[in-house]
Amino acid sequence: MKEDLMDIICCPVDKHELELDVEERDDEEIMEGTLTCTECGEVYPIEDGIPNLLPPDMREEAPA
Amino acid sequence: MSVSEEFDRWAREGRDEGMEQRHWHTAKHALARIPVEAGDTVLDLGCGSGYAGRALRETKDAARSYGLDASPQMARNAREHTDDADSAYLVGDFEHLPFEADSVDHCWSMEAFFYARDPGAVLDELVRVLRPGGTFYCAVNYWEESVHSHVWDERVDVPMVRWSEREYRERFRAAGFRVAAQDRIPDRETDIPPASEFPTDEWESREAMVERYREHGTLLTVGVVP
Ligand SMILES: C[S@@+](CC[C@H](N)C(=O)[O-])C[C@H]1O[C@@H](n2cnc3c(N)ncnc32)[C@H](O)[C@@H]1O
Ligand SMILES: [Zn+2]
């Protein structure tokens, strides 16, 4: 994802702002990282450049 | 089965590209009508292979297109189809949109809306995230008047919502949309064999197949946020 996505995304549950933590960048894109809700504290993963913003109860646990 | 699991399986089997090919017959006509201006932000709900967002970037100069899908594998496949960082994909649920209020100009959805467990929630969410004057172009091949489509719900392992044309209009209005248009877009491209080849595995009669594709086609309902 590009960082400008931060302008419009929010927590899917309570619609509060998300805080970006970048673990890996590739040119203009964030490949790995997390998005943490500043309200409820839920952590949403960014994997292979794709943010997963499913509500926690719909997100499957990643296979070990 | 959850929608994420069911459609992850479809995506692993490569069925997203088959859907794109079949849906493009009518989707291209509907996409051409969306009043996207250069610089707009567009959203595709249940994006599958992600073709619609890419088309709106290429043909209408949308500044950014976001495809949202509940299936992580669909989103990964969609991302692989493009190098354009402004055609982006997210994993998410269209009943819980991860977008701020008034952040999107136009929204498209093809053959996905009826998978909602609570379709009213999807419409409420869209009224929230679309800017005033923003539109929702909702295209479906499965609805009450399209009688030959009714058998599909048996083939998919998740529940499907079957509204009538009037219900689409009423529910859009109840959520706060104005209904700007509703029509059926015929599919003139799906090949229909000569009468001598019927019945086929899929179709009892040629008349039924003609009715399904050439007359019913795709139902497009267009909502505008006041
Ligand atoms: C039949 S496919 C259509 C894909 C694409 N729009 C097309 O025209 O080919 C339906 C898609 O909707 C997605 N979907 C179903 N329920 C969803 C939900 N609650 N939130 C987001 N996407 C969903 C599925 O994962 C699947 O990719
Ligand atoms: Zn939150």
Side-chain angles (χ1 to χ4, degrees), chain B residues 44-61:
Chain B
D44 178 7
L45 297 186
C47 65
S49 74
Y51 64 90
R54 293 191 291 275
L56 292 174
R57 280 271 298 149
E58 285 163 23
T59 62
K60 300 198 183 239
D61 227 12

Side-chain angles (χ1 to χ4, degrees), chain A residues 54 58, chain B residues 3-4 7-8 10 16 18-21 23-24 27 44-51 68-71 74 92-95 108-117:
Chain A
L54 281 173
M58 283 181 74
Chain B
V3 287
S4 301
F7 288 102
D8 266 356
W10 288 35
D16 48 334
M19 291 197 287
E20 167 175 340
Q21 275 166 21
H23 297 162
W24 185 248
D44 178 7
L45 297 186
C47 65
S49 74
Y51 64 90
L68 182 94
D69 205 288
S71 149
M74 285 285 181
D93 174 21
F94 49 48
E95 294 173 42
W108 160 259
S109 181
M110 172 87 193
E111 281 291 89
F113 181 77
F114 46 68
Y115 292 117
R117 283 143 306 170

Side-chain angles (χ1 to χ4, degrees), chain B residues 3 22 31 36 39 41 47 49 82 92 102 151 156 180 183:
Chain B
V3 287
R22 281 179 281 120
L31 286 164
V36 176
T41 297
C47 65
S49 74
T82 182
D102 296 342
V151 293
V156 182
D183 64 340

Side-chain angles (χ1 to χ4, degrees), chain B residues 25-38:
Chain B
H25 298 166
T26 53
K28 63 184 172 192
H29 300 295
L31 286 164
R33 297 184 195 170
I34 307 180
V36 176
E37 299 285 352

